[in-house]
Amino acid sequence: MGSNPQVLITFSGISTVMIHLFAFQVMNNLILRSNHSHSVHLIYKVIAVIIAHSSQIVIYAVTYYLLTQHFSLGHLSGYISNNFFEYIYYSLVSY
């Protein structure tokens, strides 16, 4: 990534959009190929959305971690143990 935080932020934004597009495409292909009921299709959609959002939360947790630890841009305050799970939690609650 180099030493430029804008590249990291741009990569994070683009990757989250690409994950959404990929999830919608996979979900659409699964639904078109299946002969299941509408309720099963809805379950496919919910699972795809949960997986997509979970992966995006991890991407932003990595971004927050790198911005604070590597680039020294901001910090988390309060009772923080500075492990990666703190950043996952922050990413989850702010998502």
Side-chain angles (χ1 to χ4, degrees):
M1 295 271 165
S3 62
N4 192 350
Q6 286 89 5
V7 173
L8 176 65
I9 294 167
T10 302
F11 174 76
S12 299
I14 290 173
S15 63
T16 55
V17 170
M18 296 304 291
I19 287 172
H20 256 89
L21 291 175
F22 180 74
F24 288 141
Q25 196 171 36
V26 168
M27 180 178 46
N28 190 34
N29 289 339
L30 280 174
I31 290 172
L32 290 177
R33 291 182 187 160
S34 72
N35 294 327
H36 298 295
S37 66
H38 292 291
S39 60
V40 173
H41 290 172
L42 181 63
I43 292 171
Y44 285 158
K45 292 174 185 178
V46 168
I47 290 171
V49 167
I50 289 172
I51 291 170
H53 285 159
S54 298
S55 62
Q56 292 166 354
I57 287 168
V58 171
I59 287 172
Y60 279 110
V62 169
T63 302
Y64 295 143
Y65 180 80
L66 291 175
L67 287 175
T68 58
Q69 300 298 319
H70 181 67
F71 295 109
S72 298
L73 295 174
H75 65 279
L76 296 179
S77 62
Y79 181 70
I80 303 296
S81 59
N82 264 344
N83 63 16
F84 184 67
F85 293 109
E86 299 285 344
Y87 293 92
I88 289 179
Y89 176 76
Y90 177 74
S91 179
L92 178 66
V93 298
S94 63
Y95 190 78

